[in-house]
Each structure stands twice: as structure tokens, then as C-alpha cells.
Amino acid sequence: MSDELVLGGDLGGTSTRIVIADSEGNVVGRGAAAGGNPTSHPASAAANFGQALHTALAGLHAAAVRAGVVGMAGGVALQRPEVAAQFEAAWTGAGLTVAPAYIGDLEVAFASGTPEPDGTVLIAGTGSNAGLVRNHQLLRTSGGHGWLLGDDGSGFWLGREAVRSVLQALDLREPLGLLERAVVQALLPDRDEPAVAHREGYDSLRDDVVRTVNSRPPVLLAELAPAVIAAYAQHDETAQTLVKRAAELLTETVARLKTSAHSGPMVLAGSVAGESSPVGQLIREHFAGDVHTARDGVGGATWLALGALNPALATTENHARLVEH
């Protein structure tokens, strides 16, 4: 094992993962903890970051880490001095002496999908965002404005539109279709027969749906996306319309990044853009070219750390070793 080590991190809303590798791309340490997104709960995110760092570095010399790249969603929160101080304390508290490079989830996703330096990346999961990458760095973005102002075509968008289809049917006093019944059942599981709205009154059911949705964090509408995908598989007309429109919105988001100098592969990340998702399949059909699927984000960050240590180490072999394990 080489004396020089690198560190890669992937801090998301639900998990924090750290990998330590030697200069030959061999993984020598791993750590994991709960969510590390600093936007909502910076103190707990920083604590989870520190826990994952300590676990990954167990039995290793932290001072031997000569390069560190940490990707995270919500990284803008680190611009707040008090949040940055908490993450700095977690980092130095683990014995690390090299300054970390914090990057966004778009760059991590792109690096996990391809070793190429230039290209385009689209993330479509709970939210949606696209980016233009040049020399492994994010040059421009499109979308990513959050559930209130954007996230078109995302899991949140699918869930919101599915609920709107329920409300439209109730307003029109129309029978609920397959998708609408599934949405009502997900939102109001105690109702025995959501398909027959008139039994309890269209207005009563409508009010219950509206009240339930508004009583929860808006982002939880993304939990209804699987219902749309399931109804699509059963040839539900509304679900098919929503899936097609989601794919169109996401391809439009990417299209806003296009320039005459555009080159390189496209990397797709997130559950909505996944290979098994009909939205992802439509996106792949639309671009029909050099399209890759994002793999292990923490592996991509670790590979970028190797390149930061020495560009000659950012080989395709090391990339495959780190992201496809």
C-alpha cells in the first residue's frame, strides 16, 4: 500500500459515506453514518460527517491523507460561517490536515458515471438538476431551483401532478382512475374504498386529500412517484401522460445547457432517471448516444481525489475499481 492516501466523501440527505484509498486506487477504509446534508440540520449533519470520517480512518494515519474531495447536496450552506465551522471541526477532529475540496452532487454524479473530463450530467430523483462539466468541474447549471420554483420532471413533480389529477377528477365529479385510486390510497390509507368517491362525497374526499398533503412537508410528494411508475406499467393513461411529460421537461432542462462546443458523454443519475424507470428510458431514447448511468457517488469523489493528488492517477482502471466495486 502506498504511503499517500486520498479521501472521497458523498454526503446526502439520508446517508454520509466516506472512502479512503491509496494512490493505486485500492480502498483501505470505509465509513458511513446518517444524512450529511447541512441545509436543514447542520449540527447533526456535521456530527454524522465526523462519525463517518472516524470510522473510515480507523487504523490509518489521518495525516497520510494528502487529498480529499467531498461531494454534497446542499453545499451552499457551507457559505454560512457557523456551518462551515462545524464541518471544519468534524474534519480536523478526525486528525485530517489537508484542506478538503467540497463540490456539488452534480460533479460527483458525473465523475461516478464516466472518467471523461467533459460532458453533461442530469440528476432526477426527488428534485432535478443538470450541469455542464468541463475538465471535471461544473461550468454551468440548469434547473435545480427546488420544489417551489423548479424541479421539473422530478419525483416531486410526478407526485404533485398525480395529486392534481385526483383533485381534477373530484372537481369534475368523474370516477377515479387507476393512478388516482393509488394516490388516494397512499395519502388516506384508512379509507376502505377510495375508488367510489361519491359514497362519502366528492367534496369530502377532495378536502381530505388537500388537508393531508398540506399537513406534510411538500417534498414528501416525491413519495408518490413510485405510484405513477406502477400505474404507467399498467397502461394507465394519466400515468403515461405524466411520465412522457416528465421526460420532456428533463430533456428541456438539459437542452438549456447545449452550446455549439458541447461534447462528451451524458451521465444520468437519480431514481427517476434510472435505467429501470420509464422516464429514464425515454430520456435515453431521446439522446440516443453516449449516455452513461451514474454509479457509486463516493467512488466518483474518491477518484477525483486521486486526480487532485496527481492527475496521472485518474486512470480509467482506477475509475472502474472505485465506482464499480
Side-chain angles (χ1 to χ4, degrees):
M1 181 180 74
S2 168
D3 291 335
E4 292 186 312
L5 303 176
V6 299
L7 180 151
D10 186 16
L11 281 58
T14 58
S15 67
T16 297
R17 296 185 300 148
I18 302 295
V19 161
I20 312 294
D22 64 21
S23 60
E24 297 177 353
N26 300 304
V27 174
V28 296
R30 294 184 185 275
N37 185 326
T39 300
S40 302
H41 305 286
S44 60
N48 293 334
F49 183 40
Q51 177 185 336
L53 288 171
H54 279 281
T55 302
L57 288 164
L60 301 172
H61 296 292
V65 175
R66 305 297 172 82
V69 174
V70 180
M72 65 168 66
V76 67
L78 294 184
Q79 295 177 9
R80 294 158 51 192
E82 67 276 15
V83 177
Q86 292 173 325
F87 273 74
E88 175 66 14
W91 184 264
T92 57
L96 294 158
T97 57
V98 65
Y102 291 108
I103 63 174
D105 50 358
L106 283 169
E107 291 159 285
V108 168
F110 184 79
S112 76
T114 177
E116 294 297 319
D118 303 333
T120 308
V121 56
L122 170 67
I123 297 178
T126 298
S128 62
N129 197 5
L132 190 64
V133 177
R134 290 291 179 267
N135 194 26
H136 302 296
Q137 296 182 341
L138 195 61
L139 183 65
R140 288 177 51 200
T141 63
S142 174
H145 307 310
W147 65 266
L148 182 61
L149 300 175
D151 285 347
D152 294 339
S154 65
F156 167 84
W157 184 92
L158 285 169
R160 184 192 65 189
E161 295 303 306
V163 174
R164 292 180 68 182
S165 72
V166 172
L167 298 176
Q168 178 175 302
L170 294 175
D171 284 346
L172 294 172
R173 302 298 198 261
E174 294 179 348
L176 300 184
L178 175 65
L179 173 60
E180 289 79 16
R181 295 196 302 273
V183 169
V184 171
Q185 189 62 44
L187 294 174
L188 305 169
D190 293 335
R191 285 184 179 266
D192 295 328
E193 192 67 42
V196 189
H198 67 267
R199 286 188 179 177
E200 299 181 44
Y202 287 91
D203 291 342
S204 174
L205 181 55
R206 178 197 62 199
D207 292 347
D208 284 349
V209 168
V210 172
R211 183 168 48 252
T212 299
V213 170
N214 285 326
S215 69
R216 309 190 311 168
V219 72
L220 291 184
L221 284 172
E223 295 179 351
L224 297 173
V228 179
I229 302 304
Y232 176 91
Q234 297 180 64
H235 309 290
D236 178 83
E237 184 176 347
T238 301
Q240 290 182 330
T241 298
L242 293 183
V243 164
K244 180 180 178 181
R245 183 56 182 154
E248 291 173 347
L249 289 169
L250 291 168
T251 56
E252 289 168 9
T253 299
V254 174
R256 292 198 290 271
L257 295 170
K258 297 293 187 179
T259 68
S260 59
H262 173 74
S263 62
M266 170 177 290
V267 173
L268 300 180
S271 58
V272 175
E275 294 175 346
S276 62
S277 164
V279 178
Q281 292 165 5
L282 289 173
I283 294 172
R284 286 167 173 79
E285 290 175 10
H286 176 85
F287 289 107
D290 193 8
V291 180
H292 299 233
T293 300
R295 302 299 179 187
D296 189 0
V298 71
T302 309
W303 183 76
L304 288 174
L306 278 176
L309 178 66
N310 182 347
L313 299 177
T315 64
T316 56
E317 291 79 12
N318 279 338
H319 185 270
R321 185 178 295 117
L322 288 167
V323 305
E324 298 178 6
H325 61 270

